[in-house]
Structure formats: structure tokens, C-alpha cells
Amino acid sequence: MRFHLIDRVDAYEPSKSVRGRKLTSRFEEYWDETPDGPVMPPPLALEALCQAGTWLIMISTERRKRAALLSVGAVDFLGPIVPGDVLELEGLVDSMNDEVAVISGRVTVEGRSVLEAREIMCVLIDADDLADLGDTYRLQQMLTRAGGA
């Protein structure tokens, strides 16, 4: 099963930063029901940020490498996410080599921080071990709207 929590990569600077977004919809199946209405489980906002970071790694390595999560140094969940919210995902590379990347970032909704994460450590693995590189390239073209950096 493919689990995509990023709809678009708005901007990136290879090996340095990424900005992406996720439009939430009531029709997605992950909502937690609360007395105040449905909310996104906070770990899924972290997953969306990690997916943006993974795309930065793949773009930076011309799809040769993909990030697999090792650890998260710290994460603060700062507010609810409700159906219809647009998650703005911002990731910055703290460090990166051929084997490991460390990224920090935040998720905002209409300028309001809903998540901040530091020291997201990922091991870099060969991308062709996980997915067809042609499929990955096509998805990258769709997410970046034909590669607009």
C-alpha cells in the first residue's frame, strides 16, 4: 500500500531545504473523532514532514537514494489539524552525507505552527531497492509540476 501525505513540492534547494504541502480532506480515512470534530492524528503531520524530507533526499541525489527514518530527536505537536487545512511543510538539512541525513522542520497551517521537529535522522538507502525508478521519476515530476525548483 502506498501512503502519500504530500501533494506537492513547492520549492527545494538540493541538499539544503524543501517546501511542500498537503491538502487535507474529510474523505481521507485517518481522522480521529473528538468532541470538537475530526482531527488529524499528530504523528501523521510528522509523517508528512518526513515525506517532504524524503523527496528532498531523492531530488538531491537524482533519485539514487531514499531516506528511511532512524530517529526523531524532538517533536512538539502544537495544535490541531482539521479537514480542509493545508499543511505547509518546511524542512532544512542539518547535515547530510552519502549514508545519513539529519533534517529539522515544521508544519504550519495558515501561518500557525502545528508541529516542530528537530534532528530527524534518516539512513540513506539505494532507491531502486524500494521502488521502480521510472515510477519514482514520474511521481517526482507530478509533485514538482515538471521539476520547478
Side-chain angles (χ1 to χ4, degrees):
M1 178 174 105
R2 294 186 185 260
F3 189 59
H4 297 289
L5 283 174
I6 182 169
D7 296 325
R8 187 167 162 182
V9 173
D10 292 318
Y12 57 88
E13 187 174 349
S15 303
K16 295 192 181 201
S17 65
V18 64
R19 283 190 309 108
R21 71 176 68 193
K22 163 68 178 156
L23 171 61
T24 64
S25 167
R26 180 65 174 119
F27 298 106
E28 293 171 296
E29 298 178 9
Y30 51 70
W31 298 104
D32 282 341
E33 292 297 329
T34 71
D36 294 327
V39 297
M40 177 185 265
L44 292 183
L46 177 60
E47 173 65 20
L49 179 61
C50 290
Q51 287 184 18
T54 294
W55 277 106
L56 176 61
I57 299 303
M58 287 192 293
I59 291 167
S60 298
T61 64
E62 297 178 347
R63 294 169 307 285
R64 289 187 319 274
K65 297 287 185 177
R66 189 174 202 136
L69 183 65
L70 289 174
S71 65
V72 178
V75 62
D76 296 313
F77 300 107
L78 304 170
I81 299 167
V82 299
D85 281 348
V86 177
L87 307 183
E88 298 286 339
L89 313 162
E90 302 172 20
L92 297 172
V93 173
D94 297 329
S95 64
M96 182 175 157
N97 59 38
D98 290 338
E99 298 175 357
V100 176
V102 178
I103 297 173
S104 295
R106 68 185 184 139
V107 179
T108 60
V109 172
E110 295 182 351
R112 167 182 58 92
S113 289
V114 295
L115 177 143
E116 292 178 358
R118 292 166 298 290
E119 299 174 357
I120 302 168
M121 183 179 290
C122 303
V123 64
L124 304 187
I125 57 179
D126 292 336
D128 60 355
D129 288 347
L130 297 175
D132 178 78
L133 294 181
D135 290 345
T136 301
Y137 176 75
R138 285 185 287 282
L139 187 54
Q140 177 185 336
Q141 293 300 300
M142 183 189 75
L143 288 173
T144 61
R145 304 300 188 248

